[in-house]
Amino acid sequence: MVALLLFLLHACAVCEFRFCSPKQVLPPLSLADCPPGELMEAIKCDFGSFEKMKEKIAAVSVGVQGSGWGWLGFNKESGRLNIAACPNQDPLEGTTGLTPLLGIDVCEHAYYLQYKNVRPDYVKAIWNVVNWENVAERFQAAKK
Ligand SMILES: [Fe+2]
């Protein structure tokens, strides 16, 4: 639990996910294990299934060379969800034009204490702490 809190505080305080507040990042006591409503429908439409989206973002995130981020973003021009990776602290929107919805920090400092150098295990465990309600709120805001 301490590692989880450290991860969440790190994600908010240190890195590029600038528009988050502790209230948004710290998860509620009971997390939904899948995206709600329209976000789930968009994921199914753009990736085939929730599982396929998770596989794709995990592959992109694990594949980052060195430090960086894996992202689920929204493409306002196409109206579709996209997955992308950014090296180091490069901002998603500034480098790809995508609006960030969910970011996975794969800088080693984000996971080394708990997962050592096994980045795939860390990325796999991310799904246990994602606040899908918050991601869905970001999705709704991005569509406006
Ligand atoms: Fe980081």
Short mmCIF file of all heavy atoms in Angstrom, two decimals, residues 10 14-15 69 89 105 107 109-110, ligand 1:
data_model
loop_
_atom_site.label_atom_id
_atom_site.label_comp_id
_atom_site.label_asym_id
_atom_site.label_seq_id
_atom_site.Cartn_x
_atom_site.Cartn_y
_atom_site.Cartn_z
N HIS A 10 4.00 10.23 -6.69
CA HIS A 10 5.03 10.47 -7.69
C HIS A 10 4.40 10.88 -9.01
O HIS A 10 4.81 11.85 -9.63
CB HIS A 10 5.88 9.21 -7.86
CG HIS A 10 6.66 9.24 -9.13
ND1 HIS A 10 7.87 9.85 -9.24
CD2 HIS A 10 6.36 8.75 -10.35
CE1 HIS A 10 8.29 9.73 -10.47
NE2 HIS A 10 7.40 9.08 -11.17
N VAL A 14 5.67 14.64 -9.57
CA VAL A 14 6.96 14.69 -10.24
C VAL A 14 6.84 14.81 -11.74
O VAL A 14 7.60 15.52 -12.37
CB VAL A 14 7.79 13.44 -9.87
CG1 VAL A 14 9.11 13.43 -10.61
CG2 VAL A 14 8.02 13.40 -8.37
N CYS A 15 5.88 14.14 -12.32
CA CYS A 15 5.91 13.97 -13.77
C CYS A 15 4.95 14.87 -14.52
O CYS A 15 4.40 15.80 -13.97
CB CYS A 15 5.70 12.51 -14.08
SG CYS A 15 7.10 11.54 -13.50
N TRP A 69 6.86 7.34 -21.07
CA TRP A 69 5.47 7.11 -20.69
C TRP A 69 4.74 6.37 -21.80
O TRP A 69 4.99 6.58 -22.99
CB TRP A 69 4.75 8.46 -20.50
CG TRP A 69 5.17 9.20 -19.26
CD1 TRP A 69 6.37 9.80 -19.03
CD2 TRP A 69 4.38 9.43 -18.10
NE1 TRP A 69 6.38 10.38 -17.79
CE2 TRP A 69 5.16 10.18 -17.20
CE3 TRP A 69 3.07 9.08 -17.75
CZ2 TRP A 69 4.67 10.58 -15.96
CZ3 TRP A 69 2.60 9.49 -16.52
CH2 TRP A 69 3.40 10.23 -15.64
N GLN A 89 10.47 12.90 -20.54
CA GLN A 89 9.33 13.69 -20.05
C GLN A 89 8.65 14.44 -21.18
O GLN A 89 7.94 15.42 -20.93
CB GLN A 89 9.81 14.68 -18.98
CG GLN A 89 10.40 14.03 -17.76
CD GLN A 89 9.40 13.12 -17.05
OE1 GLN A 89 8.23 13.44 -16.95
NE2 GLN A 89 9.87 11.99 -16.55
N ASP A 105 3.67 5.85 -16.28
CA ASP A 105 5.06 6.30 -16.12
C ASP A 105 5.96 5.07 -16.10
O ASP A 105 5.86 4.24 -15.20
CB ASP A 105 5.17 7.08 -14.81
CG ASP A 105 6.56 7.65 -14.56
OD1 ASP A 105 7.49 7.36 -15.34
OD2 ASP A 105 6.70 8.38 -13.57
N CYS A 107 9.32 5.36 -16.26
CA CYS A 107 10.65 5.71 -15.74
C CYS A 107 10.97 4.70 -14.63
O CYS A 107 10.10 4.35 -13.85
CB CYS A 107 10.65 7.11 -15.15
SG CYS A 107 10.11 8.39 -16.30
N HIS A 109 12.33 4.92 -11.88
CA HIS A 109 12.05 5.36 -10.51
C HIS A 109 10.59 5.16 -10.13
O HIS A 109 10.25 5.21 -8.96
CB HIS A 109 12.50 6.80 -10.29
CG HIS A 109 11.82 7.79 -11.16
ND1 HIS A 109 12.50 8.80 -11.79
CD2 HIS A 109 10.52 7.93 -11.54
CE1 HIS A 109 11.64 9.53 -12.50
NE2 HIS A 109 10.45 9.02 -12.36
N ALA A 110 9.71 4.97 -11.10
CA ALA A 110 8.29 4.78 -10.80
C ALA A 110 8.00 3.39 -10.28
O ALA A 110 6.98 3.17 -9.62
CB ALA A 110 7.46 5.05 -12.05
FE FE B 1 8.45 9.62 -13.42
#
